[in-house]
Amino acid sequence: QVQLVESGGGLVQAGGSLRLSCAASVRTFSTYDMGWFRQAPGKERLFVAGITWSGSRTYYADSVKGRFTISRDNAKNTVYLQMNSLKPEDTAVYYCAARPSFSPVVLTTGSQYDYWGQGTQVTVSS
């Protein structure tokens, strides 16, 4: 069973930055494709960013492109989401997701992932 634990959320003013981390309890982390999703109150969970198992490919939702950066450190079993120029509309619970695969492309839908973290709250004040 894979456990994913997110951290780094909090309250920040518009224009500020946060870095989310997701630590995975799995031996073969380097074989997992990883993604970040978010869910605002009353809305569906949406894809934010994803990275392939090798780290060679990344993909972003249009709403965060140019502001957010996903990265991974396979030696630390951790994936990161650096969030800059935050906006109030970025307020949501952010979830980390994982799937054991060697996908050549970034997985962008929730149904493609097998494991999920508990989420971390990000609140951006105006």
Side-chain angles (χ1 to χ4, degrees):
Q1 182 70 17
V2 176
Q3 288 190 329
L4 303 174
V5 180
E6 301 99 333
S7 61
L11 174 64
V12 64
Q13 288 189 331
S17 298
L18 283 174
R19 188 176 83 153
L20 305 183
S21 299
C22 172
S25 63
V26 61
R27 290 185 181 179
T28 55
F29 179 73
S30 61
T31 66
Y32 281 69
D33 296 296
M34 303 296 295
W36 286 98
F37 290 74
R38 68 186 182 187
Q39 187 168 22
K43 297 189 177 181
E44 64 180 331
R45 186 170 57 190
L46 298 175
F47 172 80
V48 174
I51 188 167
T52 54
W53 59 277
S54 64
S56 62
R57 293 193 176 188
T58 59
Y59 189 79
Y60 300 90
D62 287 343
S63 58
V64 306
K65 203 170 294 183
R67 300 188 297 122
F68 290 11
T69 302
I70 188 171
S71 61
R72 66 189 297 160
D73 185 338
N74 287 344
K76 295 183 178 180
N77 283 16
T78 301
V79 64
Y80 304 98
L81 185 67
Q82 177 67 43
M83 306 186 295
N84 299 329
S85 302
L86 282 161
K87 304 175 181 181
E89 51 264 43
D90 293 319
T91 295
V93 177
Y94 283 71
Y95 297 92
C96 173
R99 173 173 176 157
S101 70
F102 289 100
S103 176
V105 298
V106 175
L107 307 178
T108 61
T109 59
S111 61
Q112 293 175 302
Y113 289 91
D114 297 317
Y115 304 100
W116 294 84
Q118 82 289 349
T120 186
Q121 176 71 46
V122 171
T123 303
V124 184
S125 63
S126 57

